[in-house]
Amino acid sequence: MPASRNDSAPTDHGRIEDIDVAVEMQGSFLEYAYSVIYSRALPDARDGLKPVQRRIVYQMADMGLRPDRGHVKSARVVGEVMGKLHPHGDAPIYDALVRLAQPFSLRVPLVDGHGNFGSLDDGPAAPRYTEARLAPAALALAENLDEDVVDFIPNYDGQFQQPEVLPAAFPNLLVNGATGIAVGMATNMAPHNLIEVVGAAIHLLDHPEATVEELMEFVPGPDLPSGGIIVGLDGIKDAYAHGRGSFKTRAKVAVEQLGPRRTGLVVTELPYLVGPERVIEKIKDAVTAKKLTGIADVTDLTDRNHGLRLVIGVKTGFDPQAVLEQLYRLTPLEDSFGINNVALVEGQPRTLGLRELLQVYLDHRVRVVTRRSEFRLARRRERLHLVEGLLIAILDIDEVIQVIRASDDAEQARTRLMEVFDLSTPQAEYILELRLRRLTKFSRVELEAERDSLQAEIDALVELLSTEALIRAQVARELDVAAETYGTPRRTMLLNGGPVAARPSRAAAAPDLQIADAPCRVFLSATGRMVRAEFAGDTPGGGIIPPSRRSKHDAIRASVDATTRGDVGAVTSKGRLVRFSPVDLPSVPGNSVQLAAGTRADQYLGLEKDEHVVSLVPLEWQPAIALGTAQGVVKRVSATEISNKHDVEIIVLKAGDSVVGAALAPDDTELVFVTSDAQLLRFDASAVRPQGRAAGGMAGIRVTPGERVVYFGVIDPAASDPVVVTIAGSAQALAGADAASGKVSVLEEFPPKGRGTGGVRAQRFLRGEDTLTIAWVGSEPRAVGADGAVRALPDPGAKRDASGQPLDGVISAIGTGVS
């Protein structure tokens, strides 16, 4: 019978310890919080990736899923990442993979998805139905991983290795942004344009003391994947300076004729992460609640061929612009984005401004390039060492064979080779493994060529590693390549307008949809910016900016009196007249016009890449509009020839020709041409009879072969003391590299000639000069540089055929002052 158990005796199954629950909870919570912050929710400031995103990109690269190879099932990628690297479930891995493939989420997608990867209104298909491979940009993030450019760390169970951070050939965090919620903190970063970010990064490399304001010359604001319009830049400036801020985004909407008597609002771009179904739902809710009137119907015509197209019908009798303003207030057609730039820097969460984000990335790239260069240098030295040993063996191969044959084993053969030929252990080992087919004369030539090539590469790498300045220059070159390879033009328009009106409360009644059609004046600067100046009285009046308050871009190319809801015509270099309303232009006070607050005319009007605005004209004018082209053609178009179309061709251009200037030209005015070979021609506008839109014009000035017209304008006989400004330079000089020479002459120095003649000489070229780069005719000239800053001009009074005077700075455009 077994012995009885003493229940009061202590057991050795374990021990019980009394602990403070508060202390235990605090410790456990802190460990959990650190895990979420460091291992899940926040991106690393160096490569801009969260751990799961980094593991996806690395594992796909390790699987060979390159852009030039076929797609594989997403479920396979998810399984590989989960089994080898990521210690969490398959759902968050697939969610991260899907976001990397969505072009509406990332500015530069890192995964090339095949199948249904979701939309702004619907989720993706299951991973067994979709396929994926790396996008080209992802290769730039993961390149050179086999060259010891970053440290590797163990995975969750220590069986595999993974990179602590990716090399990141471009600033992915700024380019693609990030979003994540951790414990006690969150991050929300807007995407940016790759070309602009690289420009700022290179500038910071060259100028380490650069300020945020200087960097914003390169990165003026976010560039969202869906395009749209950013209204107001104050919040963006705060975010770039301190890491926190907010901005408003608006949809890109155009007023179009949907039928003979029906007007509609056509939405072609939406705010970031806003889908059309959400917009339609909010519009229906506002109409049902009687908060919004004037809406006839909403139709979603979006397709794969034409992209987003949301058509909102406007009832007869309602002002489309007034309805649009209410849509901005009541629906997601206007949305807010809060910037919170929180990222990990050396394992610690930090709130970073634009300069800090770029600096952390650049420090990382300098380390990557340095480590890569050191790795390549070591490998090339190792290879050179072996090649030199092999050349020694080939030169006396018979004795090498004799030594090997006379040895009892490999160890003795290696030792004797080292003694006889003064070789190192690696060289002796390499010779022992040598194949007989390498013992030809041709192989010796190859080895000598390889030796010379290796030595040249070693010398280049040694020089590169000799100073940090060369390393930084290499980083800048590689950033340039990344921008050229993966960069795309800006999609989001930036409007530095006033504050956006607040959204109305639920109890607020539907407002009157009539917008005051106030007088205004639309200005086009010489650098291509447009702005709307509002006036308190009934008649537009100007305000000349005092010299002490002048800012960038204040040289005027054209100005037009209009009304807020009226129409203005923009004449483009391709001979088109584009009708637009100034209601959405940035507004400034009429008594202190600052054109630096304006928006780029080509972006505002949606022009083609190689097209720009040459002038503005009113659409209800009595006299004809005159146009001059680069090939010397002149044309006047009657007002009756302009239809009510949004976009109309007003001159038929010959191949290779373009419009260089346009303005209203009554019969009592004069037309002026200036060519690149310094010939000026002035003649009466009455010598050019008005023609129809389909006409190609007539001969204006005789242009020498190989030359072109650099200026065309209209001179009002009432103008006070008009002058001719000419800037001469060399056609072979790089743009902006030479300040060149210029002069200012009185227009009366130039006698009128007949239409179709060659004119008279306007400037004598100095040695090294062979062309006029800029010319301008008018009163009160003002010159600006490429950055819009005012530049000094020579004093007026020079003879018409005199040579120019050296200029203090490079002049990019000339206009007149605001008046």
Side-chain angles (χ1 to χ4, degrees), residues 56 136 200 400 623 692 700 760:
I56 290 172
V400 169
V760 297

Side-chain angles (χ1 to χ4, degrees), residues 396-425:
D396 203 355
I397 191 62
D398 293 333
E399 187 175 354
V400 169
I401 295 174
Q402 181 64 30
V403 169
I404 295 174
R405 292 183 61 184
S407 301
D408 295 333
D409 51 30
E411 181 66 28
Q412 186 181 12
R414 179 172 58 253
T415 302
R416 293 187 61 188
L417 284 174
M418 294 169 61
E419 294 173 351
V420 174
F421 297 98
D422 194 19
L423 301 175
S424 66
T425 301

